[in-house]
Amino acid sequence: MYPHYQAKLERKGRTKAELDEAIEWLTGFDDEALERHLEAGTTFEEFFEQATLNPNATLITGLVCGVRVEEVEDPLMRKIRYLDKLVDELARGKAMEKVLRG
């Protein structure tokens, strides 16, 4: 999914560095760790199992594909929706300090 996120953001004038910053904020993975996951073809399940989710991730609320992020019951799907929501907010031009809650 990373290439899709990157393409979406670049079409909206955002950068790969901004995407990576949002991913690092959410998961704790720095550039090197993220690159290892990308090269290994890590699944979302493996990716989020190894992540240290930001304690402020629960502040990510709102709709993604018509579904309220905060109401998603499956823990893995909620984490994926958190990431989707961050990417959506960046694509809409929201300031990075607002995207990275707290």
Side-chain angles (χ1 to χ4, degrees):
M1 285 299 298
Y2 184 89
H4 298 289
Y5 290 145
Q6 184 178 357
K8 177 179 184 174
L9 292 179
E10 287 177 349
R11 281 193 307 271
K12 299 293 184 168
R14 302 305 286 251
T15 66
K16 177 185 180 303
E18 289 172 307
L19 173 59
D20 292 352
E21 183 178 352
I23 292 172
E24 182 172 356
W25 177 86
L26 180 63
T27 65
F29 295 131
D30 61 15
D31 290 341
E32 186 178 302
L34 179 57
E35 189 59 36
R36 280 195 308 272
H37 282 288
L38 293 172
E39 288 175 4
T42 304
T43 65
F44 268 134
E45 185 173 14
E46 295 164 334
F47 184 75
F48 282 111
E49 279 177 0
Q50 296 172 29
T52 302
L53 208 63
N54 188 303
N56 289 333
T58 58
L59 299 175
I60 301 170
T61 60
L63 295 173
V64 175
C65 299
V67 176
R68 288 213 149 275
V69 173
E70 61 273 22
E71 294 175 0
V72 174
E73 292 188 26
D74 178 81
L76 174 60
M77 186 54 69
R78 186 177 321 112
K79 292 170 188 174
I80 293 168
R81 292 301 184 186
Y82 286 158
L83 180 55
D84 290 342
K85 184 68 176 171
L86 295 179
V87 171
D88 285 351
E89 289 176 350
L90 286 172
R92 286 194 322 251
K94 198 169 187 179
M96 185 61 82
E97 57 271 6
K98 299 277 186 186
V99 173
L100 307 183
R101 290 136 173 98

